[in-house]
Amino acid sequence: MVFYIAIVGSGPAGFYAAEALLRSGLPVQVDMFDRLPVPFGLVRHGVAPDHQKLKAVTAVFEQIADSPNFSFIGNLDVGREIQVSQLRAAYHGVVLATGAIADRSLDVAGEDLRGSASATELVGWYNGHPDFRDKSFDFSHRTAIVVGNGNVALDVCRILSKSVDELKRSDICEHALDALATSKIADVFVIGRRGPAQAKFTAKELREFGELDDAQPIVDPAELQLDAASTAEIESSASAAKNLEILRGFAQRPESTKRKRIHFRFLLAPALIEGTTTVERVSFDKLRLSGPAGSQRGTATGEYISIPTNLVVRSVGYRGTSIPGVPFDERSATVVQQEGRVIDFDGKCIPGLYVAGWIKRGPSGIIGTNRACAIETVESVVSDLKANHFGPLDLKRELFRASLRGRSFKLIDFPGWRRIDALERADGAAKSKPREKLTRVSAMLKASERALI
């Protein structure tokens, strides 16, 4: 008997779950669903366009999709166009791998002014996500502020700071490249609530700021002075020590004639975004750290600074979003689960329902972290499949898939994606780019030709 498994979400967690299922030794058929016509989730729409090596992981995902026991069903929104309950009725198991697509707010007054945006929006815009394709950003002023001390904040800062010639070599979308080509931004502030010892940058990402063609990193040596607890943190963390070493190197650099400056600032918390209808300036509380090593928090000093700007981008974390019919913890913004099994609020496992990736554990780790997370979930799936006496679902699955064919929307299979992929690569090659992404669902559907499951 074949076990049928549905995976909702085609990002890294979804594909790693598919890989583990296909290698489990059980006779399985995996159907992967995504609300967009194109696969790869975070890798396509989250990884920075100038980080092509990170996107090379899609070659692994392509190999997984080559399995005769795998199928992709794109352009179908689970939770809106079909329900999880319908999948549970047609499959032996359903794995939710929908990621964390919402952003956390700063929770300060003025956050809704024009010119205040989330990293989710800006990253989605320059990466060609259809949800954000038509967003607009004002780059006509001198200063931009990015609030956050993680790699996404660095990605945003780097894209705003790179020259057009540098960006042309990436797969940044044409509409974004055209807008950035006219940018007047000369000063980008990267601002963190805590100190340099607590920054969540990776050294590789941070080091890139010393290698930009027309932008120089600026660091005030005084902000790199550490208290005793931060010194202890540095001594116990090789990554934090490397970051501090790089920042100290930036602080010692002589003045440059490069046109743009990237200012790394620490111990500042947004207090107020000011403006009438558009952002005009951001006020920050100056903080000092207190508490033991490893759990220091910033406390207000009563001092403030104000930075004039017309663009502030918050990059302070992502949140998962609830899926209709699935238990969801609003506090952690994750699906309630244990070892990948979804559990109800009474602590009981919901048979045949599982979760993997950021919607399971929260937005943490790198792309590869999702593999171990997915494997843990699949171990639970396999254990349950072996322990329970399931009946065949061939007919129910086929009836379900047939019901999808009868709907008005067009569904995209993996060959359909490969036609989109070929067109994007060809258009990119004509511009000496890795690809030129299609950014509208209608264009994706047209490029895929008629590819119903």
Side-chain angles (χ1 to χ4, degrees):
M1 184 183 74
V2 175
F3 292 110
Y4 295 105
I5 307 295
I7 297 176
V8 182
S10 66
F15 269 98
Y16 287 135
E19 177 186 52
L21 284 162
L22 294 168
R23 290 181 174 179
S24 67
L26 294 179
V28 296
Q29 172 68 44
V30 174
D31 289 347
M32 178 177 286
F33 298 84
D34 200 286
R35 72 181 184 90
L36 292 178
V38 293
F40 307 144
L42 173 71
V43 179
R44 179 178 172 92
H45 292 123
V47 173
D50 57 343
H51 281 176
Q52 289 298 305
K53 287 184 179 179
L54 288 178
K55 299 191 179 194
V57 70
T58 59
V60 174
F61 301 159
E62 294 270 357
Q63 291 176 352
I64 295 167
D66 282 334
S67 168
N69 297 320
F70 174 96
S71 69
F72 174 72
I73 303 163
N75 199 40
L76 184 65
D77 192 346
V78 175
R80 188 173 67 86
E81 292 165 331
I82 64 167
Q83 300 305 313
V84 171
S85 58
Q86 293 174 266
L87 293 177
R88 291 183 62 207
Y91 291 85
H92 293 101
V94 177
V95 179
L96 305 173
T98 52
I101 59 175
D103 60 274
R104 297 184 182 275
S105 70
L106 296 175
D107 197 25
V108 299
E111 195 169 5
D112 57 347
L113 289 170
R114 190 167 66 249
S116 171
S118 69
T120 302
E121 294 169 318
L122 186 56
V123 171
W125 173 76
Y126 63 61
N127 269 331
H129 194 297
D131 289 356
F132 306 106
R133 166 63 175 84
D134 293 322
K135 290 284 183 181
S136 62
F137 301 91
D138 185 1
F139 304 130
S140 64
H141 301 275
R142 182 178 182 86
T143 302
I145 294 174
V146 181
V147 180
N149 264 183
N151 281 344
V152 175
L154 292 190
D155 287 344
V156 169
C157 177
R158 196 177 60 254
I159 296 301
L160 293 176
S161 303
K162 277 195 167 185
S163 67
V164 172
D165 285 341
E166 288 172 296
L167 291 173
K168 280 180 178 177
R169 299 192 287 269
S170 75
D171 70 353
I172 191 169
C173 292
E174 187 173 34
H175 66 266
L177 186 61
D178 290 344
L180 290 166
T182 63
S183 172
K184 300 295 192 297
I185 293 173
D187 290 281
V188 182
F189 288 81
V190 189
I191 293 178
R193 294 172 184 261
R194 293 193 291 171
Q198 294 80 36
K200 298 300 182 182
F201 313 135
T202 56
K204 182 179 182 297
E205 295 254 1
L206 185 59
R207 192 179 294 112
E208 289 183 63
F209 286 87
E211 303 165 356
L212 301 181
D213 287 353
D214 198 27
Q216 60 172 327
I218 304 292
V219 181
D220 182 352
E223 293 198 0
L224 302 182
Q225 300 298 314
L226 305 181
D227 59 13
S230 293
T231 299
E233 290 179 30
I234 290 289
E235 290 173 349
S236 64
S237 170
S239 59
K242 178 57 69 174
N243 283 344
L244 185 62
E245 177 187 333
I246 294 168
L247 289 167
R248 284 174 172 164
F250 290 165
Q252 294 168 5
R253 290 191 172 203
E255 188 173 344
S256 169
T257 59
K258 291 181 177 181
R259 187 175 68 87
K260 296 183 180 181
R261 291 163 296 279
I262 303 111
H263 305 264
F264 290 89
R265 299 295 308 272
F266 301 97
L267 294 172
L268 295 174
L272 177 65
I273 300 174
E274 302 176 69
T276 306
T277 59
T278 303
V279 175
E280 297 173 10
R281 69 190 63 82
V282 182
S283 294
F284 295 89
D285 279 312
K286 283 189 173 182
L287 307 178
R288 69 166 60 91
L289 292 176
S290 60
S295 58
Q296 294 190 89
R297 293 291 182 266
T299 56
T301 64
E303 298 181 64
Y304 296 86
I305 68 166
S306 180
I307 302 176
T309 186
N310 295 93
L311 177 64
V312 56
V313 181
R314 62 186 179 275
S315 180
V316 291
Y318 293 101
R319 284 179 55 86
T321 56
S322 62
I323 303 166
V326 178
F328 188 76
D329 180 359
E330 290 289 349
R331 185 183 57 80
S332 64
T334 59
V335 169
V336 183
Q337 58 85 32
Q338 188 173 41
E339 296 180 336
R341 295 179 178 93
V342 176
I343 59 177
D344 62 24
F345 291 111
D346 293 326
K348 297 178 181 178
C349 290
I350 299 177
L353 191 58
Y354 306 88
V355 65
W358 280 7
I359 195 64
K360 170 187 173 184
R361 70 179 192 278
S364 63
I366 59 176
I367 290 173
T369 309
N370 290 288
R371 173 172 260 142
C373 177
I375 287 173
E376 180 192 54
T377 296
V378 169
E379 286 175 349
S380 293
V381 176
V382 170
S383 175
D384 293 348
L385 291 176
K386 289 179 177 178
N388 293 288
H389 299 288
F390 290 102
L393 287 178
D394 305 64
L395 180 58
K396 285 188 176 181
R397 171 178 171 268
E398 284 308 311
L399 288 173
F400 169 73
R401 287 165 63 94
S403 74
L404 298 181
R405 298 187 196 103
R407 301 204 179 194
S408 59
F409 44 78
K410 182 178 180 181
L411 302 175
I412 305 303
D413 58 11
F414 215 78
W417 150 245
R418 283 183 166 146
R419 285 187 281 273
I420 296 171
D421 181 46
L423 177 62
E424 290 183 341
R425 289 180 183 275
D427 287 350
K431 304 173 185 177
S432 299
K433 297 173 64 178
R435 71 171 63 239
E436 185 63 61
K437 290 178 187 171
L438 299 177
T439 61
R440 299 191 188 281
V441 169
S442 58
M444 296 173 186
L445 298 180
K446 184 177 180 181
S448 74
E449 301 177 355
R450 188 169 181 79
L452 297 180
I453 60 172

